[in-house]
Amino acid sequence: MPRTSSTRAPGGAVTLQQVAAAAGVSLATASRVLHGSGGRRVAEALAERVTTAASELRYVAHAPAQSLARSRSTVVGVLVHDIADPYFAAIAAGAMDVAREHDLMVLVANTFRDPGLERDYLARLRAQRARAVLLAGSAFVGEPFAEEVAAFAESGGRVAAIGAHGTGIDTVEPDQYGGGRLMAEHLVSLGHREIGVITGPAGLATVAQRLAGFTSVVARPRLVHADFTREGGRAATHELLTRHPELTAVFALNDLMAAGALAALRELGRPVPERVSVAGFDDLPVATDLTPALTTVRLRLAEIGARAMRLLLDDEPVGRLVPAEAELVVRESTGQASTLH
Amino acid sequence: MPRTSSTRAPGGAVTLQQVAAAAGVSLATASRVLHGSGGRRVAEALAERVTTAASELRYVAHAPAQSLARSRSTVVGVLVHDIADPYFAAIAAGAMDVAREHDLMVLVANTFRDPGLERDYLARLRAQRARAVLLAGSAFVGEPFAEEVAAFAESGGRVAAIGAHGTGIDTVEPDQYGGGRLMAEHLVSLGHREIGVITGPAGLATVAQRLAGFTSVVARPRLVHADFTREGGRAATHELLTRHPELTAVFALNDLMAAGALAALRELGRPVPERVSVAGFDDLPVATDLTPALTTVRLRLAEIGARAMRLLLDDEPVGRLVPAEAELVVRESTGQASTLH
DNA sequence: TCGCAGGCGGAAAGCGCTTTCCACCCCCTT
DNA sequence: AAGGGGGTGGAAAGCGCTTTCCGCCTGCGA
């Protein structure tokens, strides 16, 4: 039985007031003991009484009230296109790890690549006074998103992005371009000259950069746009090989599409890599388990997410650009260009 | 230039006060216009002035202040073992979808199967006054977690779980037992008698139930415990087949481990399914892309996550139990038991 | 012995919003 | 024409916490 007459809060939650009463001290003292920030110390004995009372009552501070009083919250936001996509899941996991080290909670928003939803979520993150937000999805080129980002920053939040989202915000920039180039060089070195590329939605920055890197080596690949999914890759591969049966290699701009490509080639009865080589991008865990195991470009996604979160949480000036290396991972799905066609 | 003399808030954020001043109305009126809940109407003209001022100033309500005043927040929590695991990612995605329909933000907490972290996060969710929390990770049998769950519920939050976490909370219960049984029946019907089972960590409820379902049909399978990962599955398969070369089928209690099992059998040179059949559980997207395509038990994870979130957000009494069906998906990794060994 | 400084607890003023009253105005009724 | 009622805006009291002052008490030096 608490020895205070103050009633329980509506939700039934214990308040600091109650803790203070139970400990026989003032609200101020209780606050100083439990969340004491400002250099002020409280005598041993009192502090003890307060902490005891708090734990007996299972007190946890009302975070919204704290945010209000301190005018800073303990949540950060992560905006992803789709958390069920292992690409984003890996980034989010890395970011959440770092957030935990800093005792922050993470609000995850699934935007489904819908620019409207993206803006909306960003506004709501601003409403929450999230300390920072990580834009993990690759930007749509030229989307009218900058305004909302600016509003967020203006209201005191930090912003960082994976891949360029504009100037003035911290960015972790995976070397998409370099990755594309590496893969092109790899395929060329294997003798491939007729290469098809399965790209994602036009206008997705990631796609553009990977492709640009590739075409810096292979001038005019056969292109086909598709959904950034397994199914998209499968359909695109069928289309590609129907129109260009002479192709000896297919480069899918992500691993999901590459998985679809492998499925399609199996359906078409073209052995990989003997007849057609296949390559992907991202090095998702699934890459190893495909048959044949997928040659791809590795992005250390968890690491990238973690770095971005660190950028958000340190006290350095903003606008930094941290590169993240792309690395060629050669497995079994690529081989010498077949000479017969 | 706002026509009020009130300064900008520290963070630089616009306050309702400023909006009210700009619109030339009182705080109360502005609040009623923008977030007006209690049946009260405001005259057309005034309302118009307020909304205009608000959008011109890019006002968004301070969510923590709102939470405090209304004593209810707009966030819900989702506790998962690891968001990078596609199993949990799918559940979370389903849940987030429903949350969005209800205009709620989702706090995701990665617990890494660490009971301490789990309790900790739950307390912090309570601190945030999260409206509800979804316990997506399968419980450890008998963990001292109930206390914290009770505290959360007591302080006014709803709790739901995937898989049983105790009585008195809403539960979506995937038919783990039934799934295990289905797979056992399938393997038996193919003539398998010597079956090895690769289980996850002992003490994980999911594991126990899947296994129980299986052993209800196949009395004493060869068991080996492993990490609930691809690597765990690979190592376990090596161990299993070394000790019991007579096995004609391996049932891995999740798809990740099954992928590892397939890899191990490839290394061992035992063709699947001709020599050894392999089965998994969950039907993750990767299952189709394995070679041979994996026979497994399908759990509609996104649907399960969505249902659980709906349980959390409706107004029905708590303590409900919603079953979720498990479904056998036969692909190429299982076949007739080989007679030669 | 008195004065003063330093240390430490408490009162109270917010933080930005919601919501209950209260007051006012206008119009309708008798 | 006067009284009353409905409708609508505003003042103010919180929501639970932090943090600035303020003032008390103690202990030390002169």
Side-chain angles (χ1 to χ4, degrees):
Chain A
M1 213 49 198
R3 356 170 181 151
T4 166
S5 63
S6 59
T7 55
R8 289 213 133 200
V14 178
T15 69
L16 224 209
Q17 186 64 261
Q18 294 171 18
V19 173
V25 302
S26 77
L27 193 54
T29 301
S31 172
R32 284 196 270 255
V33 171
L34 296 177
H35 321 291
S37 47
R40 280 288 296 269
R41 285 183 39 213
V42 173
E44 233 1 77
L46 279 201
E48 174 92 22
R49 293 225 306 272
V50 172
T51 50
T52 305
S55 74
E56 271 175 9
L57 295 173
R58 298 190 77 64
Y59 169 76
V60 292
H62 191 296
Q66 261 180 325
S67 301
L68 181 58
R70 292 189 175 143
S71 56
R72 81 190 313 225
S73 76
T74 58
V75 317
V76 297
V78 173
L79 238 59
V80 298
H81 286 335
D82 181 6
I83 195 68
D85 180 333
Y87 177 89
F88 293 110
I91 291 177
M96 292 173 73
D97 230 35
V98 174
R100 181 167 52 79
E101 289 167 13
H102 289 251
D103 276 340
L104 296 168
M105 305 286 291
V106 178
L107 277 170
V108 178
N110 255 357
T111 68
F112 296 104
R113 293 199 168 78
D114 173 342
L117 258 185
E118 250 171 27
R119 290 173 51 106
D120 193 52
Y121 271 126
L122 201 44
R124 301 179 56 171
L125 250 8
R126 177 156 65 99
Q128 296 288 341
R129 297 306 187 267
R131 263 206 219 173
V133 60
L134 172 54
L135 307 174
S138 76
F140 285 93
V141 178
E143 69 187 311
F145 187 59
E147 198 182 342
E148 196 56 64
V149 171
F152 185 90
E154 238 170 64
S155 76
R158 293 281 291 264
V159 182
I162 314 278
H165 271 252
T167 53
I169 64 182
D170 288 328
T171 302
V172 175
E173 183 78 65
D175 189 8
Q176 315 276 9
Y177 182 94
R181 190 165 35 74
L182 281 176
M183 190 55 81
E185 288 165 357
H186 170 64
L187 291 175
V188 167
S189 79
L190 287 172
H192 295 279
R193 294 299 175 266
E194 305 289 341
I195 306 177
V197 176
I198 305 177
T199 83
L204 214 50
T206 325
V207 169
Q209 294 167 11
R210 292 178 182 183
L211 186 58
F214 188 85
T215 53
S216 74
V217 175
V218 176
R220 310 179 111 273
R222 305 296 183 181
L223 284 185
V224 52
H225 288 273
D227 219 28
F228 231 29
T229 61
R230 179 185 193 276
E231 252 331 285
R234 204 180 69 86
T237 303
H238 275 289
E239 185 184 334
L240 205 51
L241 287 216
T242 306
R243 285 201 290 182
H244 307 289
E246 75 281 10
L247 295 181
T248 63
V250 172
F251 177 28
L253 289 189
N254 75 14
D255 285 353
L256 258 31
M257 296 195 306
L262 288 176
L265 290 165
R266 217 172 296 129
E267 291 157 11
L268 291 169
R270 313 237 187 158
V272 177
E274 293 77 12
R275 181 67 188 71
V276 180
S277 285
V278 172
F281 206 116
D282 289 341
D283 195 29
L284 300 182
V286 67
T288 351
D289 282 317
L290 296 174
T291 306
L294 188 67
T295 293
T296 185
V297 175
R298 173 174 302 160
L299 254 27
R300 299 180 187 280
L301 296 168
E303 176 62 28
I304 287 171
R307 274 196 213 166
M309 188 53 77
R310 280 195 207 100
L311 286 183
L312 284 173
L313 299 179
D314 64 21
D315 289 321
E316 306 298 315
V318 300
R320 287 163 291 169
L321 203 170
V322 176
E325 196 192 351
E327 185 182 343
L328 183 68
V329 179
V330 179
R331 297 204 181 88
E332 288 107 52
S333 68
T334 50
Q336 292 291 333
S338 84
T339 46
L340 40 89
H341 49 250
Chain B
M1 209 56 198
R3 352 172 185 151
T4 164
S5 64
S6 59
T7 56
R8 293 210 130 202
V14 179
T15 69
L16 223 209
Q17 186 62 261
Q18 295 171 18
V19 173
V25 302
S26 79
L27 193 54
T29 302
S31 172
R32 284 197 269 255
V33 171
L34 296 177
H35 321 291
S37 47
R40 279 288 295 268
R41 285 186 36 214
V42 173
E44 218 24 59
L46 279 200
E48 173 91 21
R49 293 224 305 273
V50 172
T51 50
T52 304
S55 74
E56 271 176 8
L57 295 173
R58 299 191 75 65
Y59 170 75
V60 291
H62 191 297
Q66 262 180 324
S67 301
L68 181 57
R70 293 188 174 145
S71 56
R72 82 191 312 227
S73 76
T74 58
V75 318
V76 297
V78 173
L79 237 59
V80 298
H81 284 337
D82 181 6
I83 194 67
D85 180 332
Y87 177 88
F88 292 110
I91 290 177
M96 292 173 74
D97 231 35
V98 174
R100 182 167 52 78
E101 289 166 14
H102 291 251
D103 276 339
L104 296 169
M105 305 285 292
V106 178
L107 277 170
V108 178
N110 255 357
T111 69
F112 296 104
R113 295 200 167 78
D114 172 341
L117 258 185
E118 251 171 27
R119 291 174 50 106
D120 192 52
Y121 271 125
L122 201 44
R124 301 179 56 169
L125 252 9
R126 175 155 67 99
Q128 297 287 342
R129 297 307 187 266
R131 267 210 215 167
V133 60
L134 172 53
L135 307 174
S138 74
F140 285 92
V141 177
E143 68 186 310
F145 187 59
E147 197 183 342
E148 197 55 64
V149 171
F152 186 90
E154 238 170 62
S155 76
R158 293 279 292 263
V159 182
I162 314 278
H165 270 252
T167 55
I169 65 182
D170 287 330
T171 301
V172 174
E173 183 78 64
D175 189 7
Q176 315 276 10
Y177 183 94
R181 191 166 32 74
L182 281 176
M183 189 54 80
E185 288 165 358
H186 170 64
L187 292 175
V188 166
S189 79
L190 288 172
H192 294 279
R193 293 300 174 268
E194 304 290 342
I195 306 177
V197 176
I198 305 178
T199 83
L204 214 49
T206 325
V207 169
Q209 294 166 11
R210 293 177 182 183
L211 186 57
F214 188 85
T215 53
S216 73
V217 176
V218 175
R220 310 178 113 271
R222 303 297 183 181
L223 285 184
V224 53
H225 288 274
D227 218 28
F228 231 29
T229 61
R230 179 186 193 276
E231 252 332 285
R234 203 179 68 86
T237 303
H238 276 289
E239 185 183 335
L240 205 51
L241 287 216
T242 305
R243 284 201 290 182
H244 307 288
E246 73 281 9
L247 295 182
T248 63
V250 173
F251 177 28
L253 289 189
N254 76 13
D255 285 354
L256 258 30
M257 295 195 305
L262 288 176
L265 290 165
R266 217 172 296 129
E267 290 157 10
L268 291 168
R270 313 236 187 160
V272 177
E274 294 77 12
R275 183 65 188 72
V276 180
S277 286
V278 172
F281 205 115
D282 289 342
D283 196 29
L284 300 183
V286 67
T288 353
D289 283 316
L290 296 174
T291 307
L294 188 68
T295 293
T296 186
V297 175
R298 173 174 301 161
L299 254 28
R300 300 181 186 279
L301 296 168
E303 175 61 28
I304 287 171
R307 275 196 212 165
M309 187 53 76
R310 279 194 207 101
L311 286 182
L312 284 173
L313 299 180
D314 64 19
D315 289 322
E316 307 297 316
V318 300
R320 288 163 292 170
L321 203 171
V322 175
E325 195 192 353
E327 186 182 342
L328 183 68
V329 179
V330 178
R331 297 205 181 89
E332 287 106 53
S333 69
T334 49
Q336 292 292 332
S338 83
T339 46
L340 40 89
H341 48 251

